[in-house]
Amino acid sequence: VQLKKDHSLNTHNDIFNSVKKLLLFVGWPRSCHSFVGSILDGHPHILVADEYFLMTKLRIGRLPIQRDIIFKALYNSSTSSIKNARSMRARTERMKGYSLLFEDLMQGQFEDHIDIIGDKAGAHVSMLLYDKTYNISKTFGILRKQLRVDIYVIRVVRNPYDNIATDSVYHCGLVKALKEMRSLENTSLLQVPKTALSGSAMGYFRLYFASEKVKAAADKTIDIHCSDLINNPREEIIKLCNFLEVQCSEDYISKCASHVFTEESHTSKLINWPPEVKESIQSRLDSIPLFKAYNYKLLNL
């Protein structure tokens, strides 16, 4: 039995009776979290809202911590995102290279019941930890009790140099210039202020340490690297299914794998990197096991 995620079902609380897991994302902006969340939303027993900012709303008191209210809010957010296909296509155009709308998956539908419900808003969850008075462990404890769920966390990791480069480009208002360079296949490098690159690098590591605190407070966590997803899509999708402890059919796995983009977007290769900035970033990356596979020399920066 297939049920559409429709507002007419809002009063039927029984569709949430089987929910046992709350899924959250942590990490950095523009790191493929939306893509991973979208393919998971296409699973017949998983619902993932598109940037509802659940944890932020709970933090500022805009939403009470009540099971039915929160689940309905996430449900309605997912419904709105799928119904508004034009909005998703607009996001696709900005992301250059992959789509968030998969007609052959069950986005906007589920079969019989929902086992996992979640929200893909990775960077915003991590940013909550900027407030040193915020106790994520206490918040998760309350959610476990009130929602009767375990909390699962996914962190998607993109090449740090690409994250830092993209962030600095956005903060300096150079997005248009970057897009023009890509469209014209310009061989010159974009000049980004050294201070902007250093500031974005500082922000990157700040988000890393914040995400570590979120993961430490969760019941179960996993790191997914964009490069692994691109090079071995089937294996990574199966890894996600095993992590979430849900059955994934061969049909679902194959369809998800077919939507994975074929190559990474390396914004880092399009800008000029001062040597001292590269060395400073690399020194910090080398001290963190999560980043052992990343080195600016491999990117020929």
Side-chain angles (χ1 to χ4, degrees):
V1 179
Q2 293 185 3
L3 298 177
K4 292 184 178 180
K5 295 174 186 172
D6 189 273
H7 292 280
S8 62
L9 295 174
N10 288 353
T11 58
H12 295 251
N13 293 336
D14 56 335
I15 66 172
F16 303 125
N17 286 346
S18 59
V19 175
K20 297 294 189 295
K21 298 164 188 169
L22 176 66
L23 176 62
L24 300 173
F25 292 74
V26 296
W28 305 267
R30 305 176 189 92
S31 292
C32 306
H33 286 100
S34 290
F35 178 80
V36 173
S38 293
I39 61 174
L40 290 177
D41 190 47
H43 187 280
H45 301 303
I46 300 175
L47 182 151
V48 181
D50 181 28
E51 296 186 342
Y52 179 69
F53 307 116
L54 171 65
M55 296 301 293
T56 301
K57 286 183 170 69
L58 293 176
R59 174 70 175 122
I60 62 178
R62 287 186 56 186
L63 200 66
I65 302 182
Q66 296 180 24
R67 180 179 168 97
D68 290 341
I69 291 177
I70 288 177
F71 289 176
K72 283 181 182 178
L74 292 173
Y75 177 98
N76 290 340
S77 177
S78 175
T79 303
S80 299
S81 296
I82 298 303
K83 281 190 170 184
N84 191 359
R86 287 177 298 175
S87 174
M88 295 193 77
R89 290 194 183 102
R91 293 189 63 189
T92 296
E93 291 174 2
R94 292 199 300 271
M95 291 184 176
K96 297 286 183 182
Y98 63 88
S99 175
L100 294 178
L101 185 61
F102 311 125
E103 301 291 354
D104 57 348
L105 295 177
M106 292 190 66
Q107 289 178 302
Q109 300 179 21
F110 58 88
E111 286 183 352
D112 300 325
H113 61 277
I114 302 168
D115 290 328
I116 301 170
I117 198 164
D119 182 28
K120 52 182 177 186
H124 287 265
V125 177
S126 300
M127 288 176 184
L128 288 174
L129 276 295
Y130 288 179
D131 180 356
K132 294 183 179 180
T133 66
Y134 182 62
N135 190 328
I136 189 68
S137 295
K138 181 179 179 180
T139 301
F140 278 3
I142 296 172
L143 288 173
R144 287 187 191 95
K145 181 178 180 181
Q146 300 291 0
L147 306 189
R148 303 189 298 280
V149 294
D150 288 329
I151 298 173
Y152 283 49
V153 168
I154 295 175
R155 179 170 63 186
V156 185
V157 185
R158 184 186 178 193
N159 191 301
Y161 288 99
D162 292 323
N163 268 132
I164 293 168
T166 303
D167 185 75
S168 63
V169 165
Y170 272 79
H171 278 92
C172 291
L174 297 172
V175 177
K176 183 177 180 180
L178 183 67
K179 289 182 177 179
E180 289 176 352
M181 287 180 63
R182 282 176 169 158
S183 63
L184 298 174
E185 297 184 354
N186 195 328
T187 57
S188 61
L189 296 175
L190 191 65
Q191 300 299 314
V192 178
K194 177 181 172 181
T195 52
L197 286 169
S198 297
S200 292
M202 184 181 300
Y204 182 89
F205 288 106
R206 191 180 184 191
L207 282 173
Y208 162 74
F209 288 112
S211 69
E212 284 287 290
K213 293 179 180 179
V214 177
K215 289 183 66 182
D219 294 293
K220 195 173 180 182
T221 70
I222 191 173
D223 290 321
I224 295 293
H225 293 261
C226 288
S227 56
D228 292 339
L229 185 61
I230 292 169
N231 295 326
N232 304 291
R234 286 181 56 83
E235 290 84 348
E236 293 302 300
I237 291 163
I238 291 173
K239 184 191 295 186
L240 281 167
C241 293
N242 291 337
F243 164 70
L244 293 171
E245 300 164 327
V246 292
Q247 290 187 343
C248 293
S249 67
E250 175 59 33
D251 181 63
Y252 171 76
I253 294 169
S254 297
K255 287 176 179 177
C256 288
S258 72
H259 291 298
V260 176
F261 35 98
T262 57
E263 60 181 5
E264 284 188 86
S265 174
H266 288 304
T267 309
S268 58
K269 292 185 176 183
L270 301 177
I271 70 172
N272 181 52
W273 290 87
E276 60 273 25
V277 173
K278 289 188 295 185
E279 292 296 342
S280 175
I281 294 171
Q282 193 61 53
S283 177
R284 298 198 69 179
L285 292 176
D286 289 343
S287 69
I288 300 172
L290 177 68
F291 304 123
K292 64 182 180 181
Y294 300 104
N295 191 298
Y296 71 83
K297 294 178 182 178
L298 297 178
L299 289 169
N300 296 317
L301 299 183

